[in-house]
Amino acid sequence: MLANILGMYGRTVTVLEAMDQLIDYPRGVGLDDESFRTVQTVGLVDTVRPHTNPQHIMRLVNGAGKVILVNNPQTDEFGWERKHGFIQPEVDKALYEGLARFDHVQVHFGHRVEDVLEDGESVTAIALVAGSDGEVEERRFRGRYLVGCEGGKSPTRKRLGVSFEGESPSTRWLVVDVNNDPLGTPNVFLGADPKRPYVSIGLPHAVRRWEFMLRDGETEDQVTDPAYVNELLANHVPNPSDLDFIRARVFTHHGRVASNFRKGRQLIAGDAAHLMPVWMGQGWNSGMRDATNLGWKLAAVLAGQADDELLDTYTTERKDHAKAMVDLSLTFGKFIKVTNPIAATARDVASSVLNLLPQVKRYFADMRFKPMPRYTQGVLVDPTTQASGTAAAGLTSKLIPVLTANSTVSPVGVQFPQPRVHTRLASNVLLDDAIGNWWSVIVWGNSPKDVLPQSSLDKLDALGARLVAVVPETQRAWAEQYMDPDVLVLGDHTGRLKKWFDDRPTPLVFLRPDRFVAGACLTQHAPATLDAMLLAMAFTGQPADSIPSLGVTRTRVSS
C-alpha cells in the first residue's frame, strides 16, 4: 500500500521482498472502512471489492450458544461499510498488481535484506539474491529513505535500537482454514465457551476459519495432527474428515508497540512497528493506517515541499492510536477466553443484564468502543488558539458561534466524513473522488477565493491545495455560475455535509491528503490557521508541480 501511495504521487520506489512469491494462504480476515478509504484513494476499489464480505457481523456467544453481544455497526460515515471480511492473499495480490501502473515502482522478489548502510544523504539496502544456479549474490539498492515492513521480527526495528514494549500472552491458538465452507453463515461467531474458547468466521470465496484456544500441555504436533483437528471440529460439522483443508497452524497473540517508528532515514510500519492481537481484526488495518499517514508525508519530503522533520510526526500521530488498539484487543481477548466456569457464568449474566439497556446495546452494536484515531500533536492547528502542531479535543472560544454550537468537540485531528456529492461533471460521487488525493480547503456556503486573502491563496497554490465550496444542491448551479472557475463546487444532495457544518462552528476546513482535518476555523481565522498548519508540516514553499500526479486515483472529476 505504501508503494501504491508513493507511486500515485510520482515517487520512485523499490520494494524488496524476501520471499519468492506472495503468500497464498489466508492470514488477516478483517478490513475496515478506514482501510477501504485508502484503497479508494489509490484507485483499487474495483480489484479489491470482489474479495470482501461487507457488513461483517460479529456475535459473541456463550458456552450454550446464546448470543451475549452483537457487533453490527451500520454507519458509513467514511464512505464504506464499517467492517468487511476479506481474503488477504487476494487483496495483497490486487495491491501488488496495482503497482504495474507505475513505471517508477519496482518489486523484486527473493531479495533478503541483510544489512543497511546509512549516511547523511541516503540509505543503502544490501540484499542477498539466489541465482538460478544456486549461487548467492549481493545486490545494493540506494534510496533516500528505507521503510521496514518485515513483520514482528523486523530487522529494521532492531537496527533502530528502539524498544518493543507490551506483552505476549502465553495463550496459544490453533487456526484451521478450509475451502467450500460447510456452514455457509457469512459472519463471525466468537465462542466464549469456558470448556474451550473458539472462533468461527465466514469469509469470501467460501472460506471458513476456525480458531481454537489450546490448553497447556497440548503440543503443536499434537494439535495439528489431522485426527486431533477433526476432534476439535466434531461439534461444528457432522463429518470433519470430509472438509477441504487449506492449513492448520498454531500461533500466539502479541501486543507490542515500538517506542519510535523512525530514526534517521529508516522507518518501520505495520507489524514491525506494532503487533496487534487478532480480537478486533486490526492488525492489517493498523498497517494500512501507517501507510496512509506516512505515504503523503514521504511524498512531500521527497518532492521538496516539506523538510525532513515532517517525518517525525509519523510516530507522534500513529503511536498512541496503535497502543490504544493493542490495549483494547488484549482486553477483549481476556473477556472471551475465560475458562473458569464461575467467572464465565458471571460474565454471561452481566452481559445479559447490560443487553437490556438500549444505550449499552447500541454501544457494542455500533462499535463505539473502538477508539477512532484522534491526533493531538502533529500536522495540526488548535482551532481555538491557532497554535501550531497541537490540537485540543474541545473548542473553548467564548465567541457566540462556539457557545451556541451543537458540538464543541473539535474536528481537528480526526477524519473528515465522506458522503456522496454532485459536481458539474458527475452525480452521486464519493467526496474523495471529487476532490482528488492531495490537500483540500473545504468551505461551506462560500467560495474560498472570496473569504481568503490573496497571500493565503498564493500559499495554498504553492501547496497544491484544491479549493472546494460546498453548497446545498439547490444552490449548485448558481455557485458554478458565479464562483471563480478554479473553485470546485460540490452539491450536498444528501444533507450530510450540511449537518456536519451545522453542528460545528468551523465553516472552513483544511483537509490533509490522508483525509484528516489539519485545521478547522471561522473564515477570519483562516490566514493564521493556514500559517500555523504550514509551520507544523515544515512546508518549504516548493511549488506543487514537484508532486507529478495529483489525480492518479480513479476519479470522475478532472484535477
Side-chain angles (χ1 to χ4, degrees), residues 191-362:
D193 185 346
K195 295 179 181 178
R196 189 188 293 270
Y198 68 89
V199 182
S200 178
I201 308 175
L203 294 171
H205 307 334
V207 173
R208 166 69 49 174
R209 167 169 292 183
W210 282 280
E211 300 180 13
F212 298 97
M213 194 173 88
L214 301 179
R215 303 187 181 102
D216 293 341
E218 291 179 316
T219 67
E220 183 166 354
D221 288 342
Q222 176 187 2
V223 299
T224 55
D225 180 84
Y228 204 90
V229 174
N230 289 347
E231 183 180 333
L232 292 174
L233 290 170
N235 290 329
H236 294 262
V237 294
N239 190 355
S241 60
D242 284 348
L243 297 178
D244 180 9
F245 288 92
I246 300 172
R247 69 165 184 167
R249 174 176 176 267
V250 175
F251 74 96
T252 303
H253 294 170
H254 300 275
R256 296 183 178 275
V257 180
S259 58
N260 202 318
F261 297 178
R262 182 212 178 185
K263 188 175 181 181
R265 293 187 172 275
Q266 299 182 60
L267 305 97
I268 50 176
D271 285 354
H274 37 72
L275 285 174
M276 196 75 53
V278 302
W279 299 112
M280 300 301 300
Q282 289 298 303
W284 192 87
N285 294 295
S286 293
M288 294 301 105
R289 291 190 191 99
D290 291 345
T292 306
N293 185 286
L294 180 58
W296 74 267
K297 295 176 180 179
L298 276 170
V301 172
L302 292 170
Q305 277 211 306
D307 285 335
D308 178 85
E309 63 198 72
L310 172 62
L311 301 180
D312 290 333
T313 66
Y314 167 52
T315 300
T316 303
E317 294 181 347
R318 282 292 304 131
K319 181 183 174 183
D320 287 348
H321 184 260
K323 186 178 185 305
M325 288 307 312
V326 166
D327 292 344
L328 178 63
S329 297
L330 286 170
T331 301
F332 199 59
K334 292 173 182 176
F335 182 78
I336 293 169
K337 63 184 185 182
V338 173
T339 55
N340 182 291
I342 297 176
T345 299
R347 175 201 60 200
D348 297 349
V349 170
S351 298
S352 297
V353 172
L354 290 173
N355 266 324
L356 297 176
L357 304 174
Q359 286 183 321
V360 175
K361 194 170 184 178
R362 286 196 301 271

Side-chain angles (χ1 to χ4, degrees), residues 1-15 38-44 94-107 437 548-554:
M1 177 59 83
L2 185 56
N4 270 282
I5 293 172
L6 289 167
M8 174 181 72
Y9 290 134
R11 299 298 103 197
T12 299
V13 184
T14 300
V15 180
T38 302
V39 170
Q40 174 195 352
T41 297
V42 297
L44 294 177
L95 297 181
Y96 164 62
E97 292 178 346
L99 297 176
R101 299 172 294 173
F102 310 117
D103 293 337
H104 45 281
V105 177
Q106 296 183 339
V107 181
N437 56 31
S549 176
L550 300 182
V552 175
T553 52
R554 196 167 296 157

Side-chain angles (χ1 to χ4, degrees), residues 389-402:
T390 184
L395 305 171
T396 57
S397 170
K398 300 304 181 183
L399 288 172
I400 288 177
V402 177

